[in-house]
């Protein structure tokens, strides 16, 4: 929940929304209304005049460049290789998850994450294979934005970053900390 008035919140989606002065928001040519009626959490968007054009550019780049590349990758690369690549990147992120689970006071999850990292880094050849899953060790997710939230830091305002996409102030700061913690950075 945000302290901002309802007229100053946005999820950058429905064209039917209006601004505080009842000026209609320009129709989003890429918006497709969901059938489930779900409206995500409302976060203050005082940067909407800047966020909206960045969103449109990001969406255009996604549709024109990233989506075709992803479709080609999905078509051309065999599933076992894609699984191995995902495993390596997931394994590289395990130390970040471990640190955040410790900070969030989740010792059991932190221990399991550390065990997954150790096992998959050695017997799994850096994460190409996932022997930890065969032992029933679940893969956990935790980031510094969640850690800050656990300690009461509010989400802040909504931002749309060029090429990186949407975030809140808290999660953007958390992502920067997580990036610093990643072992592949060192």
């Amino acid at each position: 929940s945000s302290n901002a008035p309802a007229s100053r919140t946005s999820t950058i989606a429905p064209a039917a929304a209006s601004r505080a002065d009842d000026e209609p928001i320009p129709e989003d040519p890429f918006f497709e209304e969901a059938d489930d009626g779900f409206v995500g959490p409302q976060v203050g968007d005082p940067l909407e005049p800047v966020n909206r054009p960045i969103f449109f550019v990001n969406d255009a780049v996604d549709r024109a460049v990233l989506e075709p590349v992803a479709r080609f990758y999905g078509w051309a690369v065999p599933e076992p290789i894609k699984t191995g690549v995902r495993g390596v990147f997931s394994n590289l992120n395990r130390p970040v998850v471990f640190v955040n689970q410790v900070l969030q006071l989740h010792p059991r999850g932190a221990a399991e994450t550390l065990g997954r990292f150790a096992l998959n880094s050695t017997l799994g050849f850096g994460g190409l294979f996932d022997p930890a899953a065969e032992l029933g060790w679940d893969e956990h997710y935790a980031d510094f934005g969640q850690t800050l939230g656990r300690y009461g830091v509010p989400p802040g305002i909504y931002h749309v970053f060029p090429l990186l996409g949407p975030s809140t102030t808290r999660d953007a700061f958390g992502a920067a900390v997580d990036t610093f913690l990643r072992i592949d950075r060192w």
Side-chain angles (χ1 to χ4, degrees):
S1 163
S2 172
N3 293 335
S7 63
R8 298 297 294 167
T9 59
S10 172
T11 57
I12 297 197
S18 63
R19 296 193 178 141
D21 58 359
D22 290 333
E23 174 188 328
I25 296 174
E27 187 155 334
D28 179 349
F30 299 112
F31 175 69
E32 297 174 21
E33 191 166 346
D35 293 357
D36 60 6
F38 175 78
V39 175
Q42 299 295 303
V43 177
D45 190 6
L47 301 177
E48 182 179 358
V50 175
N51 285 337
R52 193 167 285 275
I54 294 172
F55 172 82
F56 289 138
V57 170
N58 285 353
D59 194 52
V61 168
D62 183 49
R63 290 174 187 250
V65 179
L66 301 178
E67 187 176 326
V69 169
R71 286 184 188 274
F72 178 77
Y73 174 81
W75 171 80
V77 178
E79 192 58 41
I81 293 174
K82 289 188 283 191
T83 300
V85 168
R86 274 191 304 270
V88 167
F89 284 106
S90 175
N91 197 54
L92 289 172
N93 196 49
R94 291 304 98 203
V96 174
V97 173
F98 170 75
V99 167
N100 282 293
Q101 286 180 314
V102 168
L103 292 173
Q104 292 175 26
L105 307 176
H106 296 295
R108 178 171 284 152
E112 202 166 78
T113 296
L114 183 61
R116 277 188 69 82
F117 178 69
L119 189 59
N120 288 350
S121 293
T122 55
L123 297 179
F125 299 99
L128 281 174
F129 305 101
D130 192 0
E134 295 174 26
L135 293 176
W137 294 353
D138 295 329
E139 188 168 4
H140 300 279
Y141 299 94
D143 61 47
F144 197 66
Q146 292 170 336
T147 301
L148 292 172
R150 176 167 171 81
Y151 290 100
V153 175
I157 62 174
Y158 181 78
H159 306 269
V160 179
F161 295 102
L163 302 179
L164 298 177
S167 187
T168 62
T169 304
R170 178 184 69 204
D171 287 342
F173 178 76
V177 171
D178 289 340
T179 299
F180 178 76
L181 291 174
R182 283 188 60 118
I183 62 171
D184 57 334
R185 181 183 175 283
W186 301 96

